[in-house]
Amino acid sequence: VSQSRYCNDGSEIPVETRVTLGVWDGKQVLFGVCKDISELKLSEEKFYKVFQNSASLIAITSRKDGRYLDVNQTFCDVLGYQREEVIGITSKTLDLFKNYEDRARVIAELEASGRVGNVEVEVKDKNNVTHIGLFNAEPIYIGSEPCLATTMVDVTFLKKLEREIKTYNTELKSMVD
């Protein structure tokens, strides 16, 4: 059980307490052990802040069935979903990938190399608008459950600019010729 305890100086520290039944001097007793989990709480807080405040779309999914276990606010903002609409659902159910060959390619690369780095994919938001992203996936464990931590940097605007520059250069070359 996680809770807080007070030190002699009055400061509060988070602790994890475990209680077990035992025998002491022939009598049934409860043994309690408290463990300082300050460093763990600090680590969790850092992860949570990075997770929630990243400009990238971040998701944690179950490796077994692909269900979303958590998504950050950027994921929701860019794709137009409320968090509650996504948690427990798969990308397939949401019809997130524009081309499911992209998803199959990501899974194949993940199985072959153990991770995925900067694979270009197209995903659809809730309003069926396509976003182009650089997709990354890394295996992690949540407790004993194998999961994936995925990130996607939305490069839709950059791809649009790239196309416009190519068109402009083609038109300019044609005018010069």
Side-chain angles (χ1 to χ4, degrees):
V1 175
S2 292
Q3 52 195 11
S4 294
R5 289 290 175 241
Y6 294 95
C7 298
N8 291 338
D9 66 2
S11 63
E12 186 177 3
I13 60 169
V15 296
E16 179 179 89
T17 304
R18 295 184 187 257
V19 178
T20 59
L21 188 61
V23 176
W24 182 274
D25 278 340
K27 296 178 185 171
Q28 293 250 332
V29 295
L30 294 175
F31 291 103
V33 177
C34 288
K35 176 182 173 184
D36 180 353
I37 57 171
S38 299
E39 287 184 32
L40 177 62
K41 287 291 184 186
L42 182 61
S43 176
E44 287 175 354
E45 183 180 346
K46 283 190 234 177
F47 171 79
Y48 180 78
K49 285 181 179 179
V50 169
F51 182 85
Q52 284 302 332
N53 294 307
S54 176
S56 297
L57 288 75
I58 303 177
I60 297 175
T61 57
S62 168
R63 192 136 184 209
K64 180 177 68 174
D65 58 14
R67 286 177 301 106
Y68 286 103
L69 303 175
D70 204 354
V71 295
N72 71 348
Q73 190 58 46
T74 304
F75 182 103
C76 295
D77 292 344
V78 170
L79 299 180
Y81 289 99
Q82 295 296 315
R83 188 174 178 281
E84 299 76 29
E85 295 177 283
V86 176
I87 302 304
I89 307 296
T90 66
S91 63
K92 189 167 183 109
T93 302
L94 291 173
D95 196 27
L96 206 58
F97 284 88
K98 182 174 181 183
N99 303 306
Y100 267 87
E101 299 81 43
D102 285 349
R103 184 177 184 279
R105 184 169 41 101
V106 165
I107 299 294
E109 184 172 330
L110 183 66
E111 289 174 359
S113 66
R115 64 179 309 276
V116 174
N118 292 325
V119 172
E120 191 173 300
V121 298
E122 292 182 321
V123 295
K124 297 180 292 185
D125 66 21
K126 190 174 182 178
N127 296 316
N128 211 26
V129 174
T130 299
H131 298 262
I132 302 166
L134 295 178
F135 189 83
N136 299 277
E138 188 81 32
I140 63 169
Y141 282 86
I142 306 294
S144 61
E145 183 178 359
C147 297
L148 287 177
T150 61
T151 62
M152 188 185 93
V153 177
D154 189 345
V155 295
T156 307
F157 181 72
L158 295 174
K159 290 294 184 176
K160 180 181 177 206
L161 283 178
E162 187 179 279
R163 286 190 301 271
E164 288 174 4
I165 290 170
K166 282 181 184 178
T167 301
Y168 176 75
N169 284 340
T170 302
E171 291 172 359
L172 190 59
K173 186 175 185 318
S174 159
M175 288 169 56
V176 169
D177 291 342

